C-alpha cells in the first residue's frame, strides 16, 4: 500500500475500494472480504449509495476475521445532496456514523455542490454550501470526523469556499481520468496542499479498450486497469476503483507490487493526451 500525508499529518491510503452500487449484505461482504485480503485499507461510501448499514454490519464481521481494528482502516462517507444545510448536514453525518457503527469517520465530504430538488442555477446553493461546511467544521472540532472535504466542486466553488472556511478541505474528490484531465483542479489542489481523489478512473470500463492504454499494458505485461490506476497514482492522485470481482479487486491494488513509477514519461503523456473533456457523471459546472 502507498500512503499520502494529508495536511493534518495523518496518512491516507492512495487506493481504496469504491462502493457505489454495491448493494445487499452478501455483495458488500464479499467485496470487502476480498479487499481486506488483498491489502486494501480504505473504504469509500456515501449516504446516497444506500449501503452504509451493510458496510457497517460487514465491518463488524470482517475486521476481526482479518486481524484488523477500526483504527487500521480509513473510512470515508459523503453528505447526501438533499441534506445540505447547517442542521441537516450535521444530523446526516450522525446518521451515517450510526449506520456505519463507528464513533468517527476518517473523512467526510460534501458530495455535491447543490441541494437536491433545486434548479442548478438557483443562487441559494451558495448559502447551502456555506451552511453545510459550517456543519462539517463543527463535526471536525467535535472529533466526529478526522478530516473534511468536498466532492464535485469546481474551481469557482472552491474559490468561493475560501471566503468563509476556517478549516481547509483535506480532500477534493472529482471525476478525473485520461478522457477528463482537470488540470485546473489538480493545480489548485497542489497549490493548497489538498489531495485530489479521483473516481471513474476506468471511465466506466470504456478506457479499458482504449488502444493507447491496451498497447502500453501489452508492452509492459500489465492489465489495462492497472495502467490507468498507475497513471493517476503516479501523479499522487487517490483512486477508488469499484469492483465485486475478487480477481479484479486484487489486480487493482497490485499496481504497488511493481515499484513507484513504472510508466515512462512518454507513457504518461500519451495517456494524458486522450483528454477530450468527456464526462461519465453529472456536470457541476452548471451549479451556481
Amino acid at each position: 500500500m502507498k500512503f499520502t500525508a494529508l495536511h493534518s499529518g495523518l496518512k491516507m491510503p492512495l487506493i481504496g475500494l469504491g462502493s457505489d452500487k454495491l448493494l445487499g449484505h452478501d455483495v458488500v461482504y464479499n467485496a470487502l472480504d476480498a479487499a481486506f485480503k488483498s491489502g486494501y485499507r480504505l473504504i469509500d461510501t456515501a449516504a446516497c449509495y444506500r449501503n452504509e448499514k451493510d458496510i457497517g454490519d460487514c465491518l463488524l464481521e470482517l475486521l476481526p476475521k482479518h486481524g484488523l481494528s477500526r483504527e487500521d482502516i480509513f473510512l470515508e462517507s459523503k453528505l447526501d445532496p438533499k441534506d445540505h444545510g447547517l442542521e441537516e448536514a450535521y444530523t446526516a453525518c450522525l446518521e451515517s456514523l450510526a449506520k456505519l457503527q463507528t464513533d468517527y469517520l476518517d473523512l467526510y465530504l460534501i458530495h455535491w455542490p447543490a441541494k437536491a430538488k433545486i434548479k442548478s442555477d438557483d443562487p441559494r446553493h451558495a448559502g447551502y454550501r456555506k451552511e453545510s461546511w459550517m456543519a462539517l467544521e463543527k463535526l471536525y472540532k467535535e472529533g466526529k470526523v478526522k478530516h473534511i472535504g468536498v466532492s464535485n466542486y469546481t474551481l469557482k466553488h472552491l474559490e468561493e469556499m475560501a471566503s468563509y472556511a476556517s478549516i481547509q478541505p483535506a480532500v477534493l474528490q472529482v471525476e478525473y481520468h485520461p478522457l477528463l484531465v482537470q488540470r485546473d483542479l489538480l493545480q489548485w489542489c497542489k497549490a493548497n496542499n489538498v489531495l485530489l481523489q479521483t473516481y471513474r478512473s476506468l471511465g466506466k470500463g470504456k478506457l479499458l479498450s482504449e488502444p493507447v492504454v491496451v498497447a502500453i499494458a501489452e508492452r509492459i505485461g500489465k492489465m489495462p486497469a492497472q495502467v490507468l490506476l498507475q497513471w493517476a497514482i503516479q501523479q499522487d492522485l487517490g483512486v477508488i476503483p469499484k469492483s465485486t470481482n475478487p480477481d479484479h479487486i486484487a489486480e487493482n491494488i497490485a499496481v504497488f507490487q511493481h515499484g513507484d513509477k513504472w510508466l515512462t514519461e512518454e507513457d504518461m503523456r500519451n495517456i494524458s493526451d486522450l483528454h477530450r473533456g468527456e464526462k461519465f457523471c453529472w456536470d457541476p459546472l452548471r451549479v451556481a
Side-chain angles (χ1 to χ4, degrees):
M1 176 59 69
K2 183 177 180 181
F3 295 83
T4 187
L6 300 176
H7 59 53
S8 66
L10 296 178
K11 291 183 177 181
M12 174 179 176
L14 273 182
I15 189 169
L17 182 72
S19 67
D20 184 19
K21 296 182 175 61
L22 296 188
L23 298 172
H25 179 276
D26 290 350
V27 171
V28 171
Y29 183 96
N30 291 334
L32 291 183
D33 191 29
F36 290 145
K37 181 179 179 180
S38 300
Y40 288 77
R41 295 297 180 263
L42 185 153
I43 307 299
D44 174 82
T45 185
C48 67
Y49 295 170
R50 305 293 182 258
N51 59 13
E52 289 177 316
K53 179 63 166 59
D54 284 328
I55 288 175
D57 289 342
C58 291
L59 287 176
L60 290 180
E61 301 175 61
L62 287 169
L63 291 179
K65 176 181 176 180
H66 290 276
L68 300 170
S69 66
R70 170 66 183 87
E71 291 73 24
D72 293 322
I73 66 166
F74 194 100
L75 188 58
E76 58 185 57
S77 192
K78 299 181 276 293
L79 177 72
D80 193 314
K82 70 178 178 58
D83 293 322
H84 264 294
L86 185 61
E87 294 182 5
E88 297 93 329
Y90 184 87
T91 300
C93 183
L94 298 185
E95 291 174 353
S96 288
L97 287 169
K99 290 176 181 176
L100 289 163
Q101 302 171 63
T102 182
D103 294 330
Y104 68 93
L105 287 171
D106 296 280
L107 175 64
Y108 192 57
L109 305 173
I110 295 177
H111 202 160
W112 185 252
K115 188 174 178 70
K117 298 184 179 180
I118 298 178
K119 290 184 178 180
S120 295
D121 60 358
D122 194 309
R124 289 179 292 171
H125 290 308
Y128 284 122
R129 285 192 294 273
K130 181 177 180 179
E131 289 183 7
S132 295
W133 189 252
M134 295 301 100
L136 266 63
E137 289 194 355
K138 181 181 178 182
L139 290 158
Y140 172 82
K141 292 172 183 176
E142 293 175 348
K144 293 180 174 64
V145 295
K146 290 191 174 182
H147 303 90
I148 52 178
V150 293
S151 179
N152 297 302
Y153 272 41
T154 67
L155 195 58
K156 178 190 75 172
H157 301 140
L158 293 166
E159 291 173 344
E160 165 202 277
M161 187 178 174
S163 68
Y164 57 76
S166 61
I167 299 174
Q168 174 87 345
V171 172
L172 170 65
Q173 185 187 103
V174 295
E175 181 177 357
Y176 195 107
H177 45 73
L179 298 179
L180 185 69
V181 183
Q182 303 200 64
R183 290 189 175 88
D184 59 339
L185 293 179
L186 179 56
Q187 290 171 358
W188 183 92
C189 285
K190 289 185 179 297
N192 290 278
N193 194 24
V194 175
L195 173 69
L196 182 64
Q197 187 182 56
T198 72
Y199 66 83
R200 292 288 184 265
S201 296
L202 310 183
K204 294 186 76 173
K206 183 175 182 178
L207 280 162
L208 298 177
S209 58
E210 186 70 42
V212 170
V213 175
V214 172
I216 293 172
E218 290 178 347
R219 190 193 82 232
I220 57 181
K222 303 291 191 297
M223 303 299 293
Q226 293 175 324
V227 170
L228 292 164
L229 295 172
Q230 179 65 17
W231 172 83
I233 291 167
Q234 207 158 302
Q235 299 175 72
D236 297 318
L237 308 180
V239 292
I240 45 173
K242 180 199 73 175
S243 180
T244 58
N245 184 312
D247 291 336
H248 293 166
I249 289 171
E251 287 170 359
N252 288 341
I253 200 172
V255 294
F256 297 125
Q257 297 177 2
H258 309 294
D260 285 340
K261 294 188 176 182
W262 46 266
L263 289 175
T264 67
E265 291 185 8
E266 183 179 6
D267 290 335
M268 294 292 290
R269 283 196 304 271
N270 289 339
I271 296 171
S272 296
D273 285 346
L274 293 171
H275 170 73
R276 52 178 179 260
E278 184 172 351
K279 293 185 66 68
F280 296 97
C281 297
W282 293 348
D283 190 353
L285 289 172
R286 301 173 183 175
V287 177

